[in-house]
Amino acid sequence: LFPYTTLFRSDGDRSDCGLISYELMTLATQVLGDQETARTWFHAPAIGLSGAKPVDVLKNEQGNARVLELLQRMQYGVYC
């Protein structure tokens, strides 16, 4: 398996494409129920990221850690 998945906007525009780890996509799919919902979530503003889109936060290791922490909090029902 490849360790990263490429995400694109729903309209096919690749200008804001980002790479997420297989681990993050797997966790997002588990938390949100299915892969399509997870992909959509990565492109939607997230309250737990101060309104930033997860795909925009995934620019470095610190951003990856923030998104992972948010997904883990969501998994256990802790949003704040």
Side-chain angles (χ1 to χ4, degrees), residues 51-64:
K53 297 175 186 177
V55 72
D56 292 337
V57 175
L58 297 174
K59 305 290 184 198
N60 54 42
E61 288 298 318
Q62 181 182 10
N64 288 345

Side-chain angles (χ1 to χ4, degrees), residues 29-41:
T29 300
Q30 290 172 352
V31 170
L32 299 167
D34 62 70
Q35 194 172 56
E36 187 59 35
T37 303
R39 288 179 186 274
T40 300
W41 178 82

Side-chain angles (χ1 to χ4, degrees), residues 41 44-55 57 63 66-68 70 73:
W41 178 82
I47 293 170
L49 297 172
S50 302
K53 297 175 186 177
V55 72
V57 175
R66 287 180 61 204
V67 173
L68 176 61
L70 175 59
R73 290 183 2 226

